Amino acid sequence: MPSLRKFFTGSVASFWHPHSIFWFSLTITLAAVYALLAMQAAFDGEYVVQDDARQHVFWMQRFVDPQLFPNDRIADYFQSVAPKGYATLYRGASWLGISPLLLHKLLPLVLGLLATGYGFGVSMQILPVPFAGFASMLLLNQCLWLQDGMVSATPKAFVYPLFLVFLYYWLRRNLWLMAAAIAVLGGFYPQYVFIADGVLVLSLLGFRKLEFRWLGTRDRYRLVGVGLWVSFLILLPYAIATSEFAPTVSLETAKTMPEFQPEGRTVFFHDDLGRFWMVGRGGLRLSLEPILLCLGLLLPWLLQLRHWFPLGNQVQKNVHSLTHLLVSGLGMFLIAHMLLFALHLPSRYTQHSFRMAISLAAGCAMVLLLDGIWQWFSQRQNRFLARGGQLSIVAFLVGYLLLYPLTLDNFPWTGYIVGRYPKLYEFLQQTPKDTLVASVSVEANNIPTFARRSTLVASEYAIPYHLGYYQPFRQRTEDLIRAQYSRDRAVVENFIQSYDIDFWLIDRVAFIPEYVSKNRWLRQYQEASETALTSLQQPTPPVLAKWVVPEIPLPKSESECIAFENQTLVLLNTSCWLDR
């Protein structure tokens, strides 16, 4: 039994110890299993894409074919906001023959393994017990695969591996690799360079007897100074860059926009303050799922009760970096609120930092509890009861860690979108590369990714944070809604000619009032949607209704202008219709 206790709670002096190699190998294996389960869904068809990739990856098809999406303001916008390192990685892969849509399905495996490996190393720098690294990283992986951050392969997917790389080399006091990690982090997710800087600066401060004290040594000052200097150089281009899509929306303007209200496309404001501050885009978003993450909240108290949990004496001073990470994230959260929306969404600064810190703390706390309970049972006079209790607690913790995903209905949660209309995509792929499709259908979200053709607007791209992008986008959307539901042919023709529309994609149910009244995206364009509802209540149907409503006669000459149709969609060739 002592050997079993040592196997789970024994500390090691080197990573190459057999216990360390075993737990590390098991951790990496399980991380790979989770990622491979997600990849199984990713390759379960030809037209499959992760939800967020429809924004951040679709435009990168330009790397394969530079003629795609010409004069496309949507593609130009998402290309402009992509971090340089992130775009460079996809561009480099394209040069090697790996398309962006393929790479975004492969990256989650690589990122998951990288985060797991370095996270295990960080845990060993805090508590040199391999089982603690296993527990920490298993909890972190389960947490990550319960939401769509890692699987998206968008910039936020790089936060965990790259920040854990930084944290590992910081705890190892490796100057140049730490500086390199900050530089790479800034190329993929620059917001978290601020968090890294907070960790560095807070390491110089101590708090004792109600006052702060400087704790830095000469070497520490050198590490922090180099880290801050690298951060400055990395963030400077972002600070001085100008964008054709400026300005960033201000708090005062956002309060007047329906897009940010409870029924809007990008809800930020909530009537419920608890929801606003805890789970909304402006909230802390502190996740404690899986439930064993709650053990991380106990770590400060366990470290104060070392006579009951003696393994706490093995916890290194590096554990303070977890506190620094939490404080840094909370500080940036408050600053982001004060500067809304210059630093983007406040929740970004707390949700990722909290997941990393609480997972690492939970692994340490689990080992301290396991060792303390084991010791308590070993002091019982009834040897049978002691052995049974020790084995039971080990079996429960290990079993719960390993089997928890099996209790969930949707694990891993991938958020993959499956294209339902391959023939539509194949038809559009054969059209000229400057083809522009107009549609208020939800299927418009998939056309740039699957058909590689531009859409005038789509709900997926209705991102209102930069007014230079969104105000024209909103105008185009309102014009499209009015034209689709207009009973005046001249209005429809003028819209087609003004925006040079090549095809119009229409849902067959688009002219039912509920299609507009219950569509959350359309309803935020209040004036245009009200006009559309009024038009649908008139005895004369909208001009375009004859294409999808069987009861309305369609002249044979115009029926030839249907480029594609199925039971749910009709694609109208607008040039053909105008000629008729």
Side-chain angles (χ1 to χ4, degrees):
M1 294 297 285
S3 61
L4 183 62
R5 178 184 181 183
K6 185 177 181 180
F7 181 68
F8 281 97
T9 65
S11 60
V12 299
S14 169
F15 172 80
W16 302 108
H17 190 281
H19 288 178
S20 183
I21 294 175
F22 171 82
W23 287 116
F24 178 79
S25 300
L26 183 58
T27 307
I28 288 291
T29 300
L30 290 172
V33 169
Y34 295 161
L36 290 172
L37 288 174
M39 289 179 66
Q40 183 179 6
F43 291 96
D44 194 27
E46 181 180 359
Y47 295 105
V48 179
V49 66
Q50 208 283 330
D51 187 13
D52 288 343
R54 292 187 294 175
Q55 292 179 4
H56 299 284
V57 177
F58 88 92
W59 64 268
M60 293 185 184
Q61 295 176 98
R62 285 172 162 175
F63 297 152
V64 179
D65 184 350
Q67 295 181 356
L68 291 179
F69 310 116
N71 303 313
D72 188 325
R73 296 287 289 177
I74 295 175
D76 291 344
Y77 171 71
F78 283 100
Q79 182 170 355
S80 74
V81 298
K84 300 304 180 185
Y86 175 72
T88 300
L89 174 64
Y90 275 86
R91 185 189 297 272
S94 298
W95 289 342
L96 297 175
I98 304 174
S99 72
L101 292 178
L102 173 60
L103 183 62
H104 104 282
K105 299 177 182 180
L106 299 175
L107 274 175
L109 173 61
V110 178
L111 297 177
L113 295 179
L114 184 64
T116 302
Y118 273 94
F120 189 95
V122 170
S123 178
M124 292 288 286
Q125 296 300 312
I126 296 172
L127 176 61
V129 175
F131 180 71
F134 166 79
S136 295
M137 289 304 100
L138 195 59
L139 289 173
L140 179 60
N141 272 282
Q142 291 174 358
C143 184
L144 293 181
W145 290 106
L146 283 169
Q147 46 90 35
D148 64 353
M150 182 74 74
V151 73
S152 70
T154 59
K156 64 182 178 182
F158 291 81
V159 172
Y160 298 93
L162 295 183
F163 193 87
L164 288 171
V165 169
F166 153 75
L167 197 58
Y168 176 76
Y169 288 119
W170 161 243
L171 297 181
R172 298 276 295 180
R173 304 297 186 252
N174 189 314
L175 175 63
W176 299 114
L177 290 179
M178 178 206 71
I182 292 175
V184 176
L185 178 63
F188 285 83
Y189 205 83
Q191 295 97 320
Y192 261 64
V193 173
F194 292 116
I195 305 295
D197 290 346
V199 171
L200 296 178
V201 172
L202 289 171
S203 72
L204 300 176
L205 296 175
F207 188 73
R208 183 178 297 177
K209 295 183 179 179
L210 301 180
E211 63 180 20
F212 287 103
R213 297 184 180 183
W214 292 100
L215 302 178
T217 62
R218 177 176 296 181
D219 288 341
R220 181 73 60 83
Y221 281 119
R222 184 165 65 96
L223 283 162
V224 173
V226 170
L228 295 179
W229 179 244
V230 171
S231 299
F232 172 77
L233 295 178
I234 291 299
L235 294 177
L236 182 61
Y238 293 101
I240 64 176
T242 58
S243 171
E244 61 178 308
F245 300 105
T248 300
V249 65
S250 66
L251 176 61
E252 292 73 21
T253 301
K255 289 180 178 179
T256 67
M257 297 173 64
E259 288 80 357
F260 291 96
Q261 303 309 315
E263 296 300 319
R265 164 69 176 80
T266 52
V267 182
F268 185 84
F269 303 105
H270 294 273
D271 297 330
D272 183 347
L273 289 180
R275 183 173 179 81
F276 174 79
W277 287 109
M278 295 307 297
V279 300
R281 285 184 169 88
L284 295 169
R285 288 193 173 183
L286 306 181
S287 172
L288 286 173
E289 190 178 5
I291 194 64
L292 284 180
L293 286 175
C294 293
L295 294 178
L297 303 176
L298 301 178
L299 183 59
W301 286 270
L302 297 178
L303 294 177
Q304 297 298 318
L305 302 173
R306 300 193 183 193
H307 58 290
W308 287 347
F309 304 100
L311 194 59
N313 294 315
Q314 299 289 328
V315 176
Q316 307 297 304
K317 291 183 178 179
N318 287 332
V319 71
H320 297 305
S321 292
L322 301 184
T323 303
H324 300 158
L325 176 55
L326 291 173
V327 173
S328 180
L330 182 60
M332 285 306 305
F333 170 84
L334 296 175
I335 292 173
H337 263 289
M338 289 187 289
L339 300 178
L340 281 174
F341 290 87
L343 297 177
H344 204 38
L345 298 174
S347 62
R348 299 290 176 88
Y349 296 97
T350 48
Q351 61 177 331
H352 305 310
S353 59
F354 180 83
R355 286 191 186 112
M356 288 184 279
I358 200 67
S359 298
L360 291 163
C364 294
M366 188 181 302
V367 171
L368 266 59
L369 283 169
L370 179 60
D371 186 72
I373 295 172
W374 188 289
Q375 180 176 264
W376 183 85
F377 274 116
S378 66
Q379 295 171 353
R380 302 305 96 189
Q381 294 182 353
N382 188 323
R383 193 167 184 178
F384 177 79
L385 175 63
R387 294 284 179 87
Q390 291 167 342
L391 292 175
S392 296
I393 188 63
V394 169
F396 171 76
L397 286 176
V398 176
Y400 192 89
L401 279 171
L402 295 175
L403 301 178
Y404 173 74
L406 299 180
T407 67
L408 304 173
D409 294 331
N410 191 16
F411 183 91
W413 182 40
T414 61
Y416 281 119
I417 302 298
V418 179
R420 297 183 297 160
Y421 308 108
K423 292 184 179 180
L424 171 64
Y425 314 139
E426 292 164 4
F427 170 81
L428 288 172
Q429 288 170 11
Q430 304 306 314
T431 63
K433 294 177 182 178
D434 61 351
T435 293
L436 181 61
V437 179
S439 180
V440 298
S441 169
V442 68
E443 188 56 37
N445 296 320
N446 297 328
I447 289 175
T449 301
F450 295 145
R452 299 192 294 275
R453 294 299 180 264
S454 299
T455 56
L456 182 69
V457 295
S459 60
E460 186 70 16
Y461 310 110
I463 306 300
Y465 297 111
H466 294 94
L467 296 181
Y469 164 75
Y470 189 68
Q471 286 178 338
F473 183 98
R474 183 181 179 88
Q475 184 63 56
R476 295 198 303 270
T477 307
E478 292 175 339
D479 291 345
L480 172 59
I481 296 171
R482 293 190 184 97
Q484 176 155 314
Y485 293 96
S486 175
R487 291 173 291 118
D488 186 344
R489 181 186 175 97
V491 172
V492 181
E493 291 180 350
N494 182 63
F495 172 80
I496 293 172
Q497 294 168 346
S498 296
Y499 288 104
D500 198 17
I501 304 299
D502 297 295
F503 294 95
W504 203 314
L505 184 66
I506 310 171
D507 286 320
R508 289 194 180 275
V509 296
F511 297 96
I512 299 174
E514 288 77 12
Y515 182 88
V516 178
S517 63
K518 295 183 179 181
N519 189 310
R520 176 176 161 183
W521 177 55
L522 294 182
R523 290 295 292 169
Q524 69 184 15
Y525 305 101
Q526 297 169 347
E527 183 180 345
S529 60
E530 290 298 332
T531 300
L533 287 171
T534 301
S535 177
L536 291 174
Q537 294 169 358
Q538 304 303 313
T540 304
V543 173
L544 296 179
K546 60 185 176 183
W547 299 97
V548 297
V549 179
E551 292 78 10
I552 302 177
L554 179 63
K556 183 178 180 180
S557 60
E558 294 191 1
S559 66
E560 297 174 354
C561 296
I562 296 178
F564 169 88
E565 65 176 330
N566 58 24
Q567 293 181 345
T568 57
L569 296 170
V570 171
L571 184 68
L572 170 64
N573 186 322
T574 56
S575 298
C576 172
W577 181 62
L578 291 178
D579 291 342
R580 295 291 186 271

